Amino acid sequence: MSTPLAEVLEGQHTADLRKAARALLKQPLLLAHGPHSDDFRLIRRHASELREWFDRNTGWSLHVGAEAARLRKVPGTLAGPAHPAREAGRAGAPFTRRRYVLLCLALATLERGEAQIALGRLADHIVLDAADPRLTAAGIHFTLDRRDERLDLAAVVRFLLKLGVLRRVAGDEEAYVSGAGDVLYDVERRVLAGLLVTRRGPSTVHADTFEGRLAELVAETALDSDELRFRAMRRSLTRRLLDDPVLYYDELTDAELAYLTRQRGFLIARITELTGLVAEVRAEGIAMVDPEDDLTDVRMPEQGTHGHITLLLAEHLAAVGCPVTTDDLQQKVRDLAAEHGSFWAKSAKEPGAEGELVEQALTKLSALALISRQGGTVVPRPALARYAVGETVVHESGTPRTTRMPQQRKANQS
């Protein structure tokens, strides 16, 4: 018996809506042209439904224009693991403080500029802006005379090319870095205008500390009724379930935990219906797992030497089940090299390499909320138990350890 046409159409609608939502969660800024053009068309077709869902459940606004779709995401918590901007390319290094400052100065120049700009002219404006006494007092100095500074600017420009803020017309960044040429770009002003995501303009923020400034940028209006407070909690919890690798109960306030306990089934069902993420509920918290292994910016496990070392250290930390020092982990890497070094890159076996290897592994484990760091001490978090090897046991601290289940977790995308 054939399936009624109405059911077929409804099924296709649901599938397309889910694909569009997942595309936005993975890449909150999507262009009408380029590799994501098919996703953009789906998003534009379902813009009304998507806009209503994200506003109601997360408080995120969605703007869809002729050239780009922008999901204005605000994190559920400001204390979560960092997911930095990275150089263009699969193995791009995370942005340093200097590159972030260059990025902000470049955006300010582009906002004031014309429809086209040369890289050399962009650099000249950045040098002038960096001479501001307030920046100098903060220890920020740019001349762009040195090669390493020009490399940083080139990395920032490639990042803006990837976002679609710039479009290369002629030239190459390598020629600029070596001093052999310049590059010309078109400035996509509508994409540039949608890049900043804050609830208030940065120039209106007056807090002195970094944490205070972040809080002011995303602060909501006064919540003077139970309805508004419950709505704020629903949005915050949904944002964390969508964005964070794990939502740990011990990170919630008493009010948030009570609300989640009452509304957990509803919140999870709404997320699963739209995105296809599946809830893994444990005594310590909730993780929304992606069966398609797609909605993540940090993968675990991963191929290659660094991926192998990270997995081995995860297994070790899960087996230990208690805090260890980074010195202990460096020694563990030296021990592991004797057993697994034949599979590793040559550079990973050189004397002194263990420090960088451990740091890279811990950065990934922290980003996935599998560990926390307190100075030179590494503390396993409950979700790390899925990477333990062997039968389920309970450590004296009360932390369960189970057979490793290398199923991909979702990680934050900003």
Side-chain angles (χ1 to χ4, degrees):
M1 186 175 180
S2 61
T3 304
L5 178 60
E7 292 185 20
V8 174
L9 294 176
E10 178 64 25
Q12 185 61 51
H13 173 84
T14 300
D16 288 347
L17 182 64
R18 175 174 293 182
K19 185 176 180 181
R22 289 173 63 91
L24 281 170
L25 291 171
K26 186 177 180 181
Q27 193 78 23
L29 175 60
L30 283 167
L31 306 182
H33 54 82
H36 302 293
S37 57
D38 290 342
D39 291 332
F40 174 83
R41 284 192 288 271
L42 275 181
I43 292 165
R44 195 168 189 184
R45 186 184 310 160
H46 298 284
S48 179
E49 288 177 87
L50 291 167
R51 189 178 293 114
E52 191 278 332
W53 194 98
F54 282 117
D55 178 68
R56 174 177 175 76
N57 294 283
T58 66
W60 296 338
S61 62
L62 172 64
H63 175 77
V64 182
E67 298 178 7
R70 177 58 158 151
L71 181 62
R72 300 176 184 271
K73 296 176 67 177
V74 176
T77 175
L78 299 178
H83 294 262
R86 294 182 177 274
E87 288 185 40
R90 181 179 178 184
F95 269 30
T96 61
R97 179 173 182 264
R98 184 165 70 182
R99 288 186 179 182
Y100 278 120
V101 175
L102 276 173
L103 174 61
C104 293
L105 293 174
L107 290 173
T109 296
L110 295 175
E111 179 66 28
R112 301 190 303 262
E114 304 296 331
Q116 283 192 331
I117 193 168
L119 182 50
R121 183 171 179 79
L122 176 63
D124 291 340
H125 281 288
I126 288 175
V127 170
L128 288 174
D129 288 344
D132 186 299
R134 290 168 294 183
L135 292 178
T136 303
I140 297 169
H141 305 278
F142 291 118
T143 63
L144 296 177
D145 291 334
R146 303 199 314 267
R147 178 179 173 83
D148 62 322
E149 290 187 337
R150 294 197 299 275
L151 282 170
D152 283 337
L153 180 58
V156 166
V157 167
R158 292 190 183 109
F159 182 70
L160 293 175
L161 286 167
K162 180 182 177 182
L163 290 177
V165 174
L166 297 177
R167 189 179 300 181
R168 190 186 295 109
V169 176
D172 180 79
E173 290 79 31
E174 288 300 325
Y176 167 78
V177 171
S178 63
D182 208 340
V183 197
L184 181 65
Y185 305 100
D186 284 335
V187 181
E188 302 294 339
R189 304 202 65 81
R190 292 185 181 180
V191 179
L192 173 64
L195 206 58
L196 183 64
V197 179
T198 61
R199 290 200 172 99
R200 58 188 295 182
S203 61
T204 67
V205 171
H206 302 294
D208 294 328
T209 66
F210 176 71
E211 292 76 12
R213 293 180 67 82
L214 282 181
E216 284 192 31
L217 284 171
V218 299
E220 298 189 63
T221 55
L223 306 176
D224 53 5
S225 71
D226 287 342
E227 181 181 355
L228 290 177
R229 284 189 287 270
F230 288 146
R231 185 184 68 178
M233 281 190 282
R234 180 182 72 243
R235 288 175 167 179
S236 175
L237 290 167
T238 303
R239 290 197 296 262
R240 296 184 67 172
L241 288 168
L242 283 170
D243 258 357
D244 296 351
V246 185
L247 175 60
Y248 287 113
Y249 298 145
D250 62 8
E251 297 176 346
L252 302 177
T253 64
D254 291 342
E256 288 173 332
L257 182 57
Y259 183 87
L260 180 59
T261 301
R262 295 193 306 270
Q263 301 292 329
R264 185 181 71 190
F266 170 77
L267 294 177
I268 288 173
R270 293 282 287 172
I271 292 173
T272 300
E273 180 184 16
L274 180 73
T275 67
L277 296 172
V278 178
E280 181 179 302
V281 182
R282 298 293 177 92
E284 301 88 357
I286 305 172
M288 300 301 296
V289 179
D290 183 16
E292 297 184 27
D293 188 15
D294 186 49
L295 286 184
T296 185
D297 58 347
V298 181
R299 281 184 159 73
M300 175 76 181
E302 192 175 41
Q303 295 181 346
T305 298
H306 293 298
H308 189 206
I309 292 173
T310 301
L311 181 59
L312 291 172
L313 288 181
E315 292 177 350
H316 171 68
L317 287 166
V320 171
C322 61
V324 299
T325 67
T326 53
D327 290 340
D328 293 335
L329 293 178
Q330 290 180 22
Q331 181 57 52
K332 182 62 179 179
V333 169
R334 287 191 287 268
D335 297 339
L336 290 170
E339 182 179 357
H340 302 283
S342 59
F343 302 102
W344 296 358
K346 183 178 179 181
S347 59
K349 295 177 286 185
E350 295 178 354
E354 60 274 6
E356 181 181 351
L357 295 171
V358 167
E359 183 59 33
Q360 290 184 348
L362 295 182
T363 297
K364 175 167 288 190
L365 295 176
S366 178
L368 289 169
L370 298 174
I371 63 167
S372 61
R373 302 182 69 174
Q374 301 171 5
T377 302
V378 178
V379 182
R381 298 287 284 165
L384 191 65
R386 61 171 31 235
Y387 291 95
V389 177
E391 297 299 319
T392 300
V393 296
V394 178
H395 187 264
E396 60 184 6
S397 65
T399 301
R401 305 204 305 267
T402 61
T403 301
R404 178 167 61 86
M405 299 177 292
Q407 188 177 17
Q408 179 59 44
R409 288 189 179 278
K410 171 182 55 63
N412 177 51
Q413 277 280 347
S414 56

